[in-house]
Amino acid sequence: CQRCPTIVVEMANALIGHNVHREKRVLKPIAAKGKGDVKIVQLLNSDVESKWIAKNVKELLDKGVLPSEIIVLIQRKKGAPIILNA
């Protein structure tokens, strides 16, 4: 995985490993990407979630974190339109 910090790749590998209907493969973390920082949250609904994400991304940007250093992982078809419109 060329874009993700190592902790994200490790988490992805753990999820992929549980999927019995998928060809087995392992993503290779790149140490130079750094460990990264992950927040896992469960919120009431998609509206609350999108506002939480927008608020947290804004806080990171205000602290000087570059947009290229921020990753939001979400189900593409279900969650992405809500998040992109927040």
Side-chain angles (χ1 to χ4, degrees):
C1 184
Q2 298 293 321
R3 297 179 290 176
C4 297
T6 58
I7 194 168
V8 173
V9 177
E10 291 165 6
M11 293 170 73
N13 281 332
L15 287 171
I16 291 168
H18 288 286
N19 190 341
V20 296
H21 302 293
R22 183 177 179 164
E23 181 181 326
K24 201 166 201 168
R25 74 176 206 198
V26 177
L27 302 173
K28 295 178 184 172
I30 299 172
K33 296 295 179 185
K35 180 143 179 86
D37 182 34
V38 172
K39 290 182 184 180
I40 300 173
V41 297
Q42 184 174 5
L43 300 165
L44 186 60
N45 57 47
S46 296
D47 186 50
V48 173
E49 181 179 40
S50 64
K51 289 175 182 169
W52 184 91
I53 291 170
K55 176 182 169 280
N56 279 268
V57 168
K58 183 179 181 327
E59 287 174 2
L60 289 169
L61 294 172
D62 290 347
K63 290 178 183 177
V65 175
L66 298 173
S68 61
E69 296 175 327
I70 301 171
I71 301 170
V72 176
L73 300 176
I74 191 163
Q75 289 179 327
R76 187 178 330 173
K77 289 183 181 179
K78 184 176 180 182
I82 296 165
I83 301 306
L84 292 172
N85 292 320

